[in-house]
Amino acid sequence: MIQLDDFLYGKMEFPEVFAALLETDALKRLGGIHQSGAIFLVNPDICHSRLEHAIGVAMLIKKLGGSVLEQIAGLLHDVSHTAFSHVGDYVFDHVEEDYHEKVFAEIIYNSQIPDVLLKYGFNISEIIHGTFNILEQPMPLLCADRLDYTLRDGIHGRVISRQRAKQFLNSVVLSDGKIAVNQDLEATWINETFEKLINEVFKRPVHLYANGKMAELIKRFLSKGLLIESDMFKTDTLLLNKIRTNFEGYEAIKSIKQLRGFNEYIRHGKVPQIKNRTLKVLSI
């Protein structure tokens, strides 16, 4: 067994397969991918990783009584995110922010993950083709993925407190195999929190600037041959280091950090069009 610890869910024990998966290069890489893209360049407080979110999703599924297979699916669900997370969608013009979903199977099959799963009695096809109702639901429904990033990103973005998030988790239950909330007040709270997260963090102008300018820079370097597509599957730090080896890239990163041209960009630049996200949770 392996014990995992998270500031939202506390300490939980997981089967040995989780320890083995967390030792794969694919999962280790997620520890070097910022959940909120390039926002950390202009707001260092928002610096949590995709791996923290992935572990949180697995822990939430376990907390709600989901199967080990669904817990594994939760741990792996974001393994194909590019460096700087959704910046990859802006680079490759995926307006639905689903680039990582399109390449998920390819990234998984080209990793150590299938062999690790097989060793512990699981088949990767169960993950790729499985249906996991706790992990994923279409909007505006609640699911483990959507709930964890709402609470986690909300805390790091100072939209909500950790204490309030943990209080909300006491109202989360399973109903017909799907996540539900058992109090009207808490259902209203999570809906309002989600809207605040979108408006105050995801759509905050300075955050749009950071992610948009990073996408422009990466796209320009790809067109010049200074970067190649596989560089997008490095960690954020390794990709930044490669960009900075070129003087233009070094100056561009410094420019983002110093918010140069911010007002002009917000008025006239190609500001990222954030995917339309809604949440409408009803209590049971």
Side-chain angles (χ1 to χ4, degrees):
M1 301 290 284
I2 179 177
Q3 187 177 81
L4 299 177
D5 193 359
D6 181 76
F7 70 80
L8 274 173
Y9 312 112
K11 295 179 180 179
M12 291 185 189
E13 287 194 338
F14 286 82
E16 192 64 28
V17 62
F18 283 81
L21 287 169
L22 288 166
E23 285 300 313
T24 63
D25 293 340
L27 267 297
K28 286 181 177 179
R29 187 185 76 90
L30 283 193
I33 305 296
H34 288 83
Q35 170 84 355
S36 299
I39 289 174
F40 73 98
L41 294 174
V42 297
N43 188 345
D45 290 336
I46 302 180
C47 60
H48 55 301
S49 73
R50 279 277 153 195
L51 183 60
E52 291 174 59
H53 165 61
I55 290 173
V57 170
M59 294 180 83
L60 179 54
I61 293 169
K62 180 179 176 68
K63 174 182 170 67
L64 292 170
S67 68
V68 172
L69 183 66
E70 187 155 11
Q71 293 166 39
I72 292 170
L75 181 67
L76 298 178
H77 81 283
D78 272 352
V79 78
S80 53
H81 260 290
T82 65
F84 301 109
S85 292
H86 286 295
V87 168
D89 293 300
Y90 313 143
V91 170
F92 298 122
D93 298 317
H94 278 249
V95 294
E96 289 300 310
E97 298 185 5
D98 59 356
Y99 179 75
H100 68 290
E101 296 172 16
K102 303 295 186 186
V103 299
F104 180 74
E106 178 185 358
I107 296 299
I108 286 278
Y109 278 121
N110 287 323
S111 74
Q112 302 155 304
I113 290 169
D115 288 341
V116 168
L117 289 178
L118 198 59
K119 178 181 176 181
Y120 290 92
F122 298 95
N123 192 307
I124 189 57
S125 65
E126 297 176 290
I127 301 294
I128 291 175
H129 302 295
T131 298
F132 303 105
N133 289 325
I134 304 175
L135 170 60
E136 297 285 2
Q137 288 292 326
M139 277 193 255
L141 302 177
L142 202 55
C143 62
D145 177 26
R146 198 163 294 124
L147 177 52
D148 183 84
Y149 78 64
T150 299
L151 299 179
R152 191 173 303 276
D153 293 7
I155 292 166
H156 285 282
R158 300 187 178 182
V159 173
I160 57 173
S161 69
R162 180 167 72 107
Q163 182 180 5
R164 185 63 182 90
K166 293 183 77 168
Q167 178 185 329
F168 170 79
L169 285 170
N170 292 327
S171 70
V172 175
V173 295
L174 275 192
S175 176
D176 295 325
K178 300 175 185 177
I179 293 181
V181 177
N182 64 12
Q183 297 178 38
D184 289 343
L185 181 66
E186 297 295 77
T188 299
W189 181 83
I190 194 64
N191 290 336
E192 291 175 350
T193 295
F194 189 81
E195 187 174 0
K196 283 183 182 178
L197 177 67
I198 300 300
N199 292 326
E200 297 177 21
V201 179
F202 294 177
K203 291 185 176 180
R204 187 177 174 186
V206 69
H207 296 167
L208 292 172
Y209 167 87
N211 281 337
K213 294 295 283 187
M214 179 59 75
E216 285 183 358
L217 173 59
I218 292 171
K219 188 177 276 193
R220 186 163 71 249
F221 271 35
L222 285 168
S223 69
K224 290 181 175 182
L226 298 171
L227 292 175
I228 56 176
E229 189 170 340
S230 61
D231 288 328
M232 293 300 293
F233 293 95
K234 299 178 185 290
T235 63
D236 292 355
T237 297
L238 288 175
L239 182 55
L240 271 178
N241 288 345
K242 185 166 183 178
I243 290 170
R244 284 175 170 145
T245 60
N246 178 283
F247 180 74
E248 178 188 351
Y250 177 84
E251 286 297 314
I253 297 298
K254 187 165 71 171
S255 175
I256 293 172
K257 287 183 172 183
Q258 295 175 349
L259 297 177
R260 292 183 201 162
F262 168 71
N263 291 329
E264 181 71 13
Y265 177 79
I266 294 300
R267 283 196 300 266
H268 305 296
K270 190 178 180 183
V271 178
Q273 297 301 304
I274 302 299
K275 173 184 173 182
N276 184 35
R277 291 178 170 90
T278 56
L279 191 64
K280 189 175 181 180
V281 178
L282 300 176
S283 62
I284 59 170

